[in-house]
Amino acid sequence: AGIGKCVAMDLARRNARTILACRSRERGQAAVEEIRAATGNRAVVLRLLDTSSLASVRAFARAVLREEPRLDVLVNNAGVTGLPFTITSEGLEETFTTNYLGPFLLTNLLLG
């Protein structure tokens, strides 16, 4: 939704292979279908990613590096605010992990 979806739409309009990294399979797939329909670009795909989970970040990065021949642009856009103080199963504060640690780890893992 929002800025991330607009960026993905623009990339797809430019005929880029576009990977939507989403927490929700349902919302992500709906966005994929909408972007495909609006742009005619069939190379828009969904991959699940929860940046509040470093295990999810690692799994996503492994899959991208294994499946994609190259990665030209990474847009770290997702974030949260106003969540109650919560510790993740990995022992990290959820908002900080979602907004900073997860995207930082993802970027570094995808550098190759």
Side-chain angles (χ1 to χ4, degrees), residues 73-99:
V73 176
L74 173 65
V75 179
N76 280 318
N77 175 69
V80 295
T81 186
L83 296 178
F85 181 84
T86 306
I87 300 297
T88 69
S89 62
E90 296 164 311
L92 303 165
E93 197 281 319
E94 185 174 32
T95 300
F96 183 64
T97 305
T98 301
N99 294 342

Side-chain angles (χ1 to χ4, degrees), residues 17-95:
R17 176 167 171 75
T18 306
I19 302 169
L20 277 61
C22 303
R23 283 179 299 172
S24 166
R25 182 178 304 278
E26 294 77 24
R27 290 181 62 203
Q29 193 58 46
V32 165
E33 296 305 324
E34 182 180 338
I35 293 168
R36 284 178 177 173
T39 66
N41 185 341
R42 303 304 300 163
V44 178
V45 297
L46 173 66
R47 298 287 181 265
L48 296 181
L49 171 63
D50 179 357
T51 58
S52 74
S53 164
L54 300 186
S56 175
V57 171
R58 285 185 177 95
F60 176 87
R62 274 192 309 273
V64 168
L65 291 172
R66 181 179 61 247
E67 297 167 7
E68 301 297 328
R70 63 190 251 199
L71 179 64
D72 296 312
V73 176
L74 173 65
V75 179
N76 280 318
N77 175 69
V80 295
T81 186
L83 296 178
F85 181 84
T86 306
I87 300 297
T88 69
S89 62
E90 296 164 311
L92 303 165
E93 197 281 319
E94 185 174 32
T95 300

